[in-house]
Amino acid sequence: KTAEVLRDRGFEGTVVLAAAEQRLPYERPPLSKAYLAGSALFEDALVHPAGWYSANSIELFLGCTATMIDRASHTVQFSDGSSVGYDRLVLATGSAPRRLEVPGADGEGVHYLRTVEDADALKAAFGKGRKVVIIGGGWIGLEVAAAARGAECEVVVVDAATLPLLAVLGPEIAESFADLHRSQGVDLRLGASVGSIVLEDGKVVGCEVDGDMVQADCVVVGVGVRPLVDLAEAAGLDIDNGVLVDASLRTSDPDIYAVGDIANRTTPS
């Protein structure tokens, strides 16, 4: 979107867009909604078709992971050994799912949802009568629950709060969401926590929830995200639960900006 706005506003300089994934840039929200439910194609989630980038003179590099920012030379180095220079740099590295730190969390059948490949793996795990335990009652957890019920899975959602989405929506609307999911056959285990994920031969067979064994063919973890600031931190930019930016999204380096999930607004002194 930054590249798009630059062209829309008449910027005529060179624009390089480097993306770690091999696919054309896409919107992530459909991954837990229509795409996961099977009612939309991946192409529907693309930000722009392939021809848009060349038509707007945007140099798009896919499968290109940035490994280092050299602020002194104004260059970014990539995992394939290449590098590119910049006058201004925009960091939009986003976030990654927070990992669950309990025994068994690295077992086969434990899923996170961030990429289209993650969504494809979940779709393959769903099916009539399959038992799905979802850890986390936020937006991702509830949307995955809805998709899993649509695929005729048996679904248990475990959340530490007394209502799903309570901190986001407040008790009245959160109660409505809880009622809606219960009416669709979702088993909500609220005010509860997962002590471990139970494995047999390295594969998920259940979860220990407050001392009870809940059977599971797969487990989906949706317990929040963390900003991907490693690149910015290694470059010496100011970090505090994200990359610190001012009202113009400028970081502690005046030639580097940060946008999206990683940007954290500094408080004026």
Side-chain angles (χ1 to χ4, degrees), residues 143-176:
E143 289 163 0
V144 171
R149 285 298 297 142
E152 300 185 75
C153 299
E154 297 178 19
V155 178
V156 176
V157 173
V158 182
D159 194 80
T162 55
L163 287 169
L165 296 169
L166 179 61
V168 179
L169 300 177
E172 186 173 352
I173 300 178
E175 186 68 59
S176 296

Side-chain angles (χ1 to χ4, degrees), residues 7 35 124 136 153 187 199:
R7 290 299 187 229
Y35 182 75
C153 299
D187 181 359
L199 308 177

Side-chain angles (χ1 to χ4, degrees), residues 33-72:
K33 300 182 180 70
Y35 182 75
L36 185 59
S39 59
L41 300 174
F42 171 70
E43 288 72 20
D44 298 329
L46 293 178
V47 180
H48 294 292
W52 181 88
Y53 298 92
S54 57
N56 286 273
S57 300
I58 293 170
E59 299 178 37
L60 178 62
F61 299 129
L62 300 178
C64 197
T65 302
T67 56
M68 189 181 79
I69 300 167
D70 188 329
R71 292 165 56 190

